Amino acid sequence: MSWFESFILGLVQGLTEFLPISSSAHLRLTAAFAGWHDPGAAFTAITQIGTETAVLIYFRKDIARIVSAWFGSLLGRVSRSDHDAQMGWLVIVGSIPIGVLGVTFKDQIEGPFRDLRLIATTLIVMGVVLGIADRLAARDETGGRHRAVRHRKGLKELGVRDGLIFGICQAMALIPGVSRSGATISGGLLMGYTREAAARYSFLLAIPAVLASGVFELKDAGEGHVSWGPTIFATIIAFVVGYAVIAWFMKFITTKSFMPFVYYRILLGIVLVVLVGAGVLSPHAGESGG
């Protein structure tokens, strides 16, 4: 991998990690359209450490408060009914599904799941799901001529059941094209949470999963055509860009809907189906050199 490729892929990772459009799919597609080798699951997981570092810094006050309360509850200094202490446990519970499935389907994640036909399908299907979830949230928030505004839940109403469902939704993002934020936010909206609450928990829930995945894949970094230098460079780029994107996105969702991302996902998926179907793009483009 050249330094230019690592710069572009780091930029793509930073731009797409927090948006509900799938960063892993965009890394895969960028390489396929540019005629580069597929950067692979290890490269993707390690560069995500950069974007998750951005989450750690952006939510540093929330994270410090949650970690402090969680440890305090273990030592008996903080009540276990404390909201922040409970959030610590809920993040742990919500991380179980992706941990189990990530290890179980590791070979599929690094192989068959990266087929462009599957990515096109997940882009479209999850785009439709996100669109439905967003419409339901908008209807509750605005009401209508014959419908009153309905209360939507915040994080203080999050329980173990919903936390586990959030976790199952996050685990779906092991398939490129699903999107970690897209799946968890959609799940949150369908369960009746506000956009801001669903997005905030989505980002907090991703921290242990992404950091663990990145550390686990460190042993595979530097193998094949992807060397350590470009991987680290791409991770730094992803961090810088990712921080700017998460700050923008958290402001965006307070007043805007997710429909622009829905239209984008569906359009990109259709274009990909047409290109692969017409033989312009191989479903395994770039994989031979990965």
Side-chain angles (χ1 to χ4, degrees):
M1 176 182 289
S2 70
W3 291 98
F4 176 72
E5 288 179 47
S6 68
F7 172 78
I8 296 299
L9 293 174
L11 184 64
V12 170
Q13 169 63 29
L15 287 171
T16 59
E17 172 66 17
F18 303 116
L19 305 181
I21 56 177
S22 179
S23 61
S24 57
H26 279 75
L27 288 174
R28 176 79 177 88
L29 292 176
T30 299
F33 283 125
W36 301 336
H37 295 319
D38 179 1
F43 177 87
T44 300
I46 293 170
T47 55
Q48 285 178 336
I49 293 178
T51 45
E52 285 312 302
T53 301
V55 173
L56 291 173
I57 295 176
Y58 186 84
F59 290 111
R60 61 190 180 278
K61 293 181 180 178
D62 290 1
I63 294 170
R65 192 176 63 249
I66 291 170
V67 171
S68 176
W70 184 76
F71 275 111
S73 70
L74 293 180
L75 299 174
R77 294 199 300 261
V78 176
S79 171
R80 293 191 177 183
S81 62
D82 179 83
H83 171 65
D84 290 325
Q86 290 181 336
M87 277 297 296
W89 286 111
L90 290 171
V91 169
I92 293 173
V93 169
S95 300
I96 293 174
I98 197 169
V100 173
L101 295 177
V103 173
T104 303
F105 294 100
K106 183 178 185 297
D107 292 339
Q108 288 78 10
I109 294 168
E110 296 178 349
F113 284 2
R114 301 182 74 79
D115 188 304
L116 295 183
R117 291 166 296 191
L118 178 59
I119 291 176
T121 301
T122 53
L123 281 170
I124 295 171
V125 172
M126 283 306 302
V128 172
V129 172
L130 178 60
I132 293 172
D134 186 74
R135 290 298 188 189
L136 290 175
R139 186 177 65 182
D140 288 348
E141 293 166 354
T142 60
R145 181 178 300 178
H146 305 293
R147 184 184 297 272
V149 174
R150 293 182 59 184
H151 167 74
R152 289 212 139 230
K153 295 183 285 187
L155 288 185
K156 289 188 176 181
E157 297 167 86
L158 181 65
V160 173
R161 184 188 72 90
D162 287 358
L164 191 57
I165 293 175
F166 265 112
I168 294 172
C169 291
Q170 177 181 236
M172 294 172 59
L174 292 169
I175 304 174
V178 170
S179 169
R180 187 189 311 275
S181 63
T184 50
I185 289 172
S186 294
L189 294 179
L190 290 173
M191 286 189 289
Y193 288 87
T194 65
R195 291 187 178 90
E196 195 274 339
R200 184 172 291 267
Y201 184 63
S202 170
F203 294 149
L204 292 175
L205 184 61
I207 294 172
V210 171
L211 292 182
S213 175
V215 171
F216 180 76
E217 294 289 358
L218 285 175
K219 64 179 178 17
D220 295 328
E223 296 184 357
H225 72 287
V226 183
S227 59
W228 266 109
T231 300
I232 294 174
F233 180 56
T235 302
I236 294 172
I237 296 298
F239 160 71
V240 175
V241 177
Y243 186 87
V245 171
I246 193 173
W248 170 83
F249 186 64
M250 291 305 294
K251 293 180 180 178
F252 175 87
I253 60 174
T254 59
T255 57
K256 308 293 184 181
S257 79
F258 291 112
M259 292 311 295
F261 304 112
V262 171
Y263 298 139
Y264 172 76
R265 289 182 63 104
I266 294 174
L267 178 60
L268 179 60
I270 292 173
V271 169
L272 194 53
V273 168
V274 172
L275 292 177
V276 173
V280 175
L281 197 64
S282 167
H284 306 288
E287 287 185 359
S288 59

